[in-house]
Amino acid sequence: MSELNDVFKFIDEHFDEHIQKIQSYLRQPSVSGEGIGMHECAELTAKYIENLGGEAEVISSPIKYAEHPGWPLVYGWLDSGADKTLLVYGMYDTQPVEEEKWDYPPFGAEIHEISPFGQCIIARGAINTKGPLRAMFNAFEAIIAVKGRLPVNIIFLIEGEEEIGSLTLIDYVKKNKEEFREADASWMAGARQDRNGKVRISLGNKGIITFDMICRGGDWGGPVGRNLHSSNEAWVESPVWKLIQCLASMRDETGKVLINGFYDGVTPPTSEEETIINELLKTFNEETLKEELSVKRFKYNLKGRELILQYLYQPTLNIMGIASGYVGPGTKTIIPHEARAKLDIRLHPDQDPEKIWKNIQNHLLEKNFRNVELKLHDASPGSKTSPNAPIVKAMLKTYDEYKIEKQIWPFSGGFAPTFIFTKVLGIPFISGGIGHGGRAHAPNEYIILNKTGPIYGISDMEKFYVKFLYNYAET
Amino acid sequence: MSELNDVFKFIDEHFDEHIQKIQSYLRQPSVSGEGIGMHECAELTAKYIENLGGEAEVISSPIKYAEHPGWPLVYGWLDSGADKTLLVYGMYDTQPVEEEKWDYPPFGAEIHEISPFGQCIIARGAINTKGPLRAMFNAFEAIIAVKGRLPVNIIFLIEGEEEIGSLTLIDYVKKNKEEFREADASWMAGARQDRNGKVRISLGNKGIITFDMICRGGDWGGPVGRNLHSSNEAWVESPVWKLIQCLASMRDETGKVLINGFYDGVTPPTSEEETIINELLKTFNEETLKEELSVKRFKYNLKGRELILQYLYQPTLNIMGIASGYVGPGTKTIIPHEARAKLDIRLHPDQDPEKIWKNIQNHLLEKNFRNVELKLHDASPGSKTSPNAPIVKAMLKTYDEYKIEKQIWPFSGGFAPTFIFTKVLGIPFISGGIGHGGRAHAPNEYIILNKTGPIYGISDMEKFYVKFLYNYAET
């Protein structure tokens, strides 16, 4: 792709300026959880789109969180007169900062050595993900400066609530599908090399349901509003026993979930997925994984293909937490008047979270646990993108051009609200890019500046984005 | 019993002095949980015995608690040349004080009005139980001043750890039975009238086992030493699920405990107990009880005799508390690496706690819950005293002389270490006396000074103790 050499030369010549632009973005705080700098950062992001010659809108959120209002979405449009339209998804918000734990100011974006990576920009958002997002704008600016226009049209959708649940984004996309009707595919720019230079690609993710289960004393029995001396347990019901029995009724000792219909919608691997899994098995190592996860044993002592299938294709019912009564030193002989548990369900991408939630509710009615209250937090489906989608092929091709060792997964076990692209808008979604950073969600978050061994620096990250855009335009 | 009128006259004449002695005892702090004033109060208590003409010893504790050493026992002996020897059990320790919540200084023992009881002494320990204990010494002093000697010999055993588990007391009695071989019966002085002037008498109490159950990730599976992202629950075991399944295996949904041998040693009511229960049913009111306990319904909707039998004769397996992972606002998608529960078992007085504890351990082995750790805190048997024991007859006779409305229970559902008297020493035990106080374990603890309606004041409390001692001597 020698016709891009002029763009690459431009990027090299403007390296210092590009780094300064990244630093400048990182110096604008945007902590969604604490509501710091959100409107300012949204406006700044909108300006980046306008600087490319696009149109941008800062859209107020209709969402009300418990501690703050929702934060604005940045919606933008850049018409390049191209055939294809790419929906660029991004986030301008970051995790909170615990200032005193940082060696350098978290919004200073200072450049310091971090062994073994050499010089790095240190700031909240450096890798997750304002650093790569601004590098993408640098890449777009370089193309426009040299070529006059991008090879694809772009719809920008950059949210300020990625770290707090994306409610505004999900609401907006569901209600405004027509604004995205031109989009052929969606992409999130990242710097996704690990410490060894490898990249993990997931072509989708599982769905999620999160909810609370609460049992309190009431008309059915149990102490009402205050704990009782435990001698009364002989004649008074116990809400914590009730909750435990309700939980135990939902799952057997092997881990199988006993809720009717819980496995409805689980599909076996498609032939495309089988191909991916067979390829994945060549680099999958359960011993390394045990160390990474700090576990001594996997369920049922599974290995290889069976372990991967268990991880991806089995929905789970997990207890995030449970609390009742007294667990401090010594004893406090009480019947607690209240018990609560917090659970999450991980769904196969083809499962319908609303149906599964109904099944949970039915289980409690059928098993006569009407005295256990259910409180839903979230029920969102998973997502899958075909490995044959042009956007995926363009991404894989670009990785190959950089000789990046990659591990492809049919989808990931975690959750991200990518169903808004694949299910609501019906377009494929991929996340990707080269470069490396770390300590996301921790002090001294960093992104590395220059190529170090197999890990690429920021100028290559920008060049990768350029190549990827052209590769996609050509598919 | 007109020959006691001179003693009663003495008590009336020395009322102010007696109150001052009570105040003086209450002004000496003795908070066992926090280790405040313990040695000073033990010495003071020993001096009270010596002032009667007895011998007293302050015995150091061999026990080491987590936060402090054990506190001394006060052992004393007063030979009256009488036929009968009474073991007087008492406690010189109190609950801690949260100073800022009191209207008057907790160790000031000031006298103030408390509606509707008139003048009261307000102090930590006023009712529980330094007030009644010192009133008992006043009564003994009065008898000796007037009659020259008590009608029974006394062995004093006054502990400083009643509020923290009585470990020193239990250890001492088990190891020094010969010191108590003369004792015919044991008694604890109290001011046991409720707000309506009624008295509840329990001729024993249930036994107790308290223990922790802990499950952590380890060789069997689960995250080791740190929480894991909950997407991993598909292939990694969950310690909190394991604990919940272990708990659920121990008890069915009706409340029946599924541990083999859990009900071993439970005996049906004896004919003596049947008589007591039939009498008890005349004043037992489950509706009032519901209100007192703040419950809307008893287990299995039981009433009357069946409810009393359920309360007293059924051992229970209660969860005092459980904790694992995250239960704060929102969600934290983790598999917790550890889960812990705190349980207590209430045993029928005839059950053997050591056998039951073995059964619990066996259950975990048999049901393959080797990954759930058991940690025993306490395993102590219950206790029963025959209604035909002379000490009981003397107590009931004394109550009748004061026309006190009394409700007798075969034994109570709570625990007190009275097995050291009934089982270790083989002598009957009774607690009793008239008078009233309240807010034990709470701010503004009080004991009422003068007779108010059916509730007797402190001079009658002392006279009651005098009568009771003579009634016992005469049985």
Side-chain angles (χ1 to χ4, degrees):
Chain A
M1 217 180 272
S2 59
E3 74 276 20
L4 293 178
N5 280 343
D6 47 357
V7 181
F8 295 168
K9 191 162 166 254
F10 182 94
I11 288 174
D12 286 334
E13 285 168 0
H14 293 78
F15 181 71
D16 288 350
E17 193 189 320
H18 281 193
I19 296 302
Q20 282 157 21
K21 284 182 172 178
I22 292 172
Q23 287 174 304
S24 157
Y25 198 32
L26 293 172
R27 284 172 187 150
Q28 170 58 55
S30 53
V31 182
S32 50
E34 296 167 345
I36 302 167
M38 296 308 294
H39 289 279
E40 295 82 346
C41 197
E43 294 294 343
L44 188 57
T45 309
K47 194 149 296 167
Y48 293 164
I49 296 168
E50 288 165 357
N51 290 347
L52 295 172
E55 284 171 39
E57 207 180 329
V58 174
I59 300 165
S60 295
S61 166
I63 306 290
K64 296 273 168 271
Y65 287 83
E67 286 136 33
H68 51 72
W71 306 123
L73 264 184
V74 181
Y75 175 84
W77 170 259
L78 177 61
D79 189 346
S80 312
D83 291 340
K84 289 205 180 104
T85 298
L86 182 62
L87 170 51
V88 164
Y89 164 70
M91 58 189 268
Y92 68 83
D93 67 324
T94 70
Q95 279 280 312
V97 163
E98 290 173 281
E99 194 111 20
E100 68 284 2
K101 296 189 179 165
W102 288 65
D103 295 325
Y104 309 103
F107 301 111
E110 294 176 9
I111 293 171
H112 295 280
E113 285 277 320
I114 289 188
S115 175
F117 304 121
Q119 289 199 309
C120 296
I121 307 176
I122 297 172
R124 174 56 83 229
I127 180 68
N128 179 29
T129 61
K130 285 160 77 182
L133 179 58
R134 181 57 236 190
M136 181 199 75
F137 279 112
N138 290 343
F140 290 3
E141 285 176 6
I143 298 171
I144 291 168
V146 174
K147 303 286 192 187
R149 63 179 192 89
L150 297 186
V152 294
N153 311 313
I154 307 273
I155 298 172
F156 293 93
L157 187 60
I158 301 174
E159 68 160 324
E161 298 177 354
E162 200 276 346
E163 300 290 0
I164 57 171
S166 301
L167 297 187
T168 299
L169 174 76
I170 294 168
D171 180 72
Y172 187 79
V173 173
K174 283 183 175 171
K175 288 182 184 155
N176 298 279
K177 286 188 216 175
E178 73 291 348
E179 290 190 10
F180 303 94
R181 67 180 181 279
E182 303 286 345
D184 299 298
S186 49
W187 168 56
M188 181 183 193
R192 299 182 60 86
Q193 289 184 280
D194 67 15
R195 304 177 61 94
N196 304 311
K198 295 178 186 172
V199 159
R200 179 179 160 142
I201 302 163
S202 295
L203 299 174
N205 54 264
K206 279 180 150 178
I208 196 166
I209 303 175
T210 55
F211 62 107
D212 291 353
M213 290 173 69
I214 303 152
C215 186
R216 296 186 181 92
D219 289 337
W220 65 277
V224 181
R226 63 177 171 89
N227 300 329
L228 257 191
H229 190 270
S230 63
S231 59
N232 293 295
E233 214 270 335
W235 55 16
V236 175
E237 300 266 8
S238 158
V240 59
W241 264 123
K242 190 62 76 182
L243 180 63
I244 283 171
Q245 265 142 353
C246 182
L247 285 166
S249 77
M250 296 167 82
R251 191 175 182 271
D252 75 11
E253 288 175 22
T254 70
K256 193 183 166 222
V257 177
L258 302 174
I259 293 156
N260 280 332
F262 187 78
Y263 296 94
D264 286 0
V266 173
T267 53
T270 62
S271 62
E272 275 176 357
E273 288 163 20
E274 286 285 7
T275 310
I276 295 170
I277 291 168
N278 288 337
E279 190 60 29
L280 170 58
L281 278 169
K282 293 176 190 167
T283 57
F284 180 76
N285 182 326
E286 51 279 287
E287 291 309 315
T288 319
L289 188 62
K290 276 185 198 167
E291 275 170 38
E292 277 170 22
L293 296 176
S294 180
V295 303
K296 310 252 186 196
R297 187 179 163 276
F298 285 111
K299 273 189 183 172
Y300 322 121
N301 289 315
L302 292 177
K303 289 184 179 174
R305 184 184 148 82
E306 276 58 48
L307 186 57
I308 291 170
L309 292 185
Q310 170 73 18
Y311 177 60
L312 293 178
Y313 291 82
Q314 287 300 307
T316 58
L317 177 66
N318 176 62
I319 299 174
M320 297 187 268
I322 184 167
S324 181
Y326 177 81
V327 290
T331 56
K332 196 168 173 185
T333 47
I334 54 168
I335 311 175
H337 69 97
E338 182 183 287
R340 43 178 67 231
K342 230 172 232 304
L343 290 93
D344 68 306
I345 290 172
R346 304 280 172 172
L347 297 169
H348 183 283
D350 293 338
Q351 289 190 284
D352 180 343
E354 286 176 23
K355 279 190 190 160
I356 303 293
W357 180 241
K358 268 259 167 292
N359 293 339
I360 306 266
Q361 292 172 303
N362 287 339
H363 178 88
L364 265 61
L365 295 179
E366 282 163 20
K367 298 281 174 183
N368 211 8
F369 287 111
R370 284 175 174 78
N371 31 40
V372 176
E373 184 191 335
L374 287 173
K375 213 161 135 186
L376 182 66
H377 288 292
D378 187 19
S380 296
S383 167
K384 285 204 286 197
T385 282
S386 164
N388 296 319
I391 190 88
V392 175
K393 290 190 163 175
M395 180 59 72
L396 299 181
K397 186 181 175 200
T398 316
Y399 276 131
D400 287 342
E401 284 166 9
Y402 278 86
K403 299 193 172 28
I404 302 290
E405 206 177 309
K406 55 195 193 302
Q407 192 183 54
I408 307 178
W409 287 68
F411 47 89
S412 84
F415 174 75
T418 58
F419 71 95
I420 57 172
F421 308 118
T422 60
K423 289 187 174 160
V424 178
L425 301 181
I427 57 175
F429 171 82
I430 189 95
S431 166
I434 56 174
H436 173 73
R439 299 187 196 141
H441 297 211
N444 300 322
E445 183 177 346
Y446 66 92
I447 187 164
I448 77 167
L449 216 54
N450 303 306
K451 190 168 191 302
T452 317
I455 304 177
Y456 286 97
I458 288 177
S459 67
D460 281 312
M461 186 189 307
E462 295 182 4
K463 290 172 192 169
F464 182 101
Y465 297 155
V466 172
K467 275 196 186 188
F468 166 65
L469 224 58
Y470 278 88
N471 281 336
Y472 175 56
E474 283 169 14
T475 52
Chain B
M1 217 180 278
S2 58
E3 73 275 21
L4 293 178
N5 281 342
D6 46 358
V7 181
F8 296 167
K9 190 161 166 255
F10 181 94
I11 288 173
D12 287 333
E13 285 168 0
H14 293 80
F15 181 70
D16 289 350
E17 192 189 321
H18 282 193
I19 296 302
Q20 282 157 23
K21 285 182 173 177
I22 292 171
Q23 288 173 305
S24 156
Y25 198 31
L26 294 172
R27 284 171 187 151
Q28 170 57 56
S30 53
V31 182
S32 49
E34 296 168 345
I36 302 167
M38 296 308 294
H39 290 277
E40 294 83 343
C41 197
E43 293 294 343
L44 188 58
T45 309
K47 195 150 292 167
Y48 293 165
I49 297 169
E50 288 164 357
N51 290 347
L52 295 172
E55 285 170 39
E57 206 181 329
V58 174
I59 300 165
S60 295
S61 166
I63 306 290
K64 298 274 167 271
Y65 286 84
E67 287 137 32
H68 51 70
W71 307 122
L73 265 183
V74 181
Y75 175 84
W77 171 259
L78 178 62
D79 189 347
S80 312
D83 293 340
K84 286 205 182 108
T85 299
L86 181 62
L87 170 51
V88 164
Y89 163 71
M91 57 190 267
Y92 68 83
D93 68 323
T94 70
Q95 278 280 315
V97 164
E98 291 173 280
E99 193 109 21
E100 69 283 3
K101 295 189 179 164
W102 289 65
D103 295 325
Y104 308 103
F107 301 111
E110 295 176 8
I111 293 170
H112 295 279
E113 287 276 320
I114 290 187
S115 174
F117 304 119
Q119 290 200 306
C120 296
I121 308 176
I122 296 172
R124 174 55 84 228
I127 181 66
N128 179 30
T129 59
K130 285 160 78 183
L133 178 59
R134 181 58 236 189
M136 179 198 77
F137 279 111
N138 291 342
F140 289 3
E141 286 176 4
I143 298 171
I144 290 168
V146 175
K147 303 287 191 188
R149 62 179 191 91
L150 297 186
V152 294
N153 311 313
I154 307 273
I155 299 172
F156 293 94
L157 187 60
I158 301 174
E159 66 160 323
E161 298 177 355
E162 200 275 346
E163 300 291 0
I164 57 171
S166 300
L167 297 186
T168 300
L169 174 75
I170 294 168
D171 179 72
Y172 186 80
V173 174
K174 283 184 177 173
K175 288 183 184 155
N176 299 279
K177 288 188 213 174
E178 74 291 349
E179 291 190 11
F180 303 94
R181 66 181 181 277
E182 303 286 343
D184 300 299
S186 49
W187 167 57
M188 183 184 191
R192 299 183 59 88
Q193 289 184 281
D194 69 15
R195 306 177 59 95
N196 304 312
K198 295 178 187 172
V199 159
R200 177 179 162 142
I201 302 162
S202 296
L203 299 174
N205 54 264
K206 278 180 152 179
I208 196 166
I209 303 175
T210 55
F211 62 107
D212 291 353
M213 290 173 69
I214 304 153
C215 186
R216 295 186 182 94
D219 289 337
W220 65 277
V224 180
R226 63 178 171 88
N227 301 329
L228 258 190
H229 190 271
S230 64
S231 58
N232 293 295
E233 214 269 335
W235 55 16
V236 175
E237 299 267 8
S238 159
V240 59
W241 265 124
K242 188 63 75 179
L243 179 64
I244 283 171
Q245 266 143 351
C246 182
L247 285 166
S249 77
M250 295 165 82
R251 191 174 182 272
D252 75 11
E253 287 175 22
T254 71
K256 194 185 162 220
V257 177
L258 302 174
I259 293 157
N260 279 333
F262 187 78
Y263 296 92
D264 286 0
V266 173
T267 52
T270 61
S271 63
E272 276 176 355
E273 289 163 19
E274 286 285 8
T275 310
I276 296 170
I277 291 167
N278 288 336
E279 190 61 31
L280 170 58
L281 279 168
K282 294 176 188 165
T283 57
F284 180 77
N285 182 324
E286 50 280 286
E287 293 308 315
T288 318
L289 189 61
K290 275 185 200 167
E291 274 170 39
E292 278 170 21
L293 296 176
S294 179
V295 302
K296 309 253 186 196
R297 185 179 164 277
F298 285 111
K299 273 188 184 172
Y300 321 122
N301 288 317
L302 292 176
K303 288 184 180 173
R305 183 185 149 81
E306 276 58 49
L307 185 58
I308 291 170
L309 292 185
Q310 171 73 20
Y311 178 60
L312 293 178
Y313 291 82
Q314 287 300 308
T316 58
L317 177 66
N318 176 62
I319 299 173
M320 298 186 267
I322 184 167
S324 181
Y326 178 81
V327 290
T331 56
K332 194 169 174 184
T333 48
I334 53 167
I335 311 175
H337 69 97
E338 181 183 286
R340 43 178 66 232
K342 232 174 230 305
L343 290 93
D344 68 306
I345 290 173
R346 304 282 172 171
L347 298 169
H348 183 284
D350 294 338
Q351 288 190 283
D352 179 344
E354 287 176 23
K355 278 190 191 162
I356 303 293
W357 179 241
K358 268 260 168 289
N359 294 339
I360 306 267
Q361 292 171 304
N362 287 338
H363 178 88
L364 266 61
L365 295 179
E366 282 162 21
K367 298 281 175 185
N368 211 9
F369 287 112
R370 283 173 175 80
N371 32 39
V372 176
E373 184 191 335
L374 287 173
K375 214 161 135 185
L376 182 66
H377 288 293
D378 187 17
S380 295
S383 166
K384 285 204 287 196
T385 283
S386 164
N388 296 319
I391 190 89
V392 175
K393 292 191 161 173
M395 180 59 71
L396 298 181
K397 185 180 175 201
T398 317
Y399 277 131
D400 287 342
E401 284 166 10
Y402 279 85
K403 299 193 173 26
I404 302 291
E405 206 177 309
K406 55 194 191 303
Q407 193 184 53
I408 307 178
W409 288 68
F411 46 89
S412 85
F415 174 75
T418 57
F419 71 94
I420 59 171
F421 308 119
T422 60
K423 288 188 175 160
V424 178
L425 302 180
I427 57 176
F429 171 83
I430 189 96
S431 165
I434 57 174
H436 173 73
R439 301 187 195 143
H441 297 210
N444 300 321
E445 183 176 345
Y446 66 91
I447 188 163
I448 77 167
L449 218 53
N450 303 305
K451 191 170 190 301
T452 317
I455 303 179
Y456 285 97
I458 288 176
S459 67
D460 281 312
M461 186 189 309
E462 295 182 3
K463 291 173 192 168
F464 181 101
Y465 296 154
V466 172
K467 276 198 184 186
F468 166 66
L469 223 57
Y470 279 88
N471 281 337
Y472 175 57
E474 283 169 14
T475 53

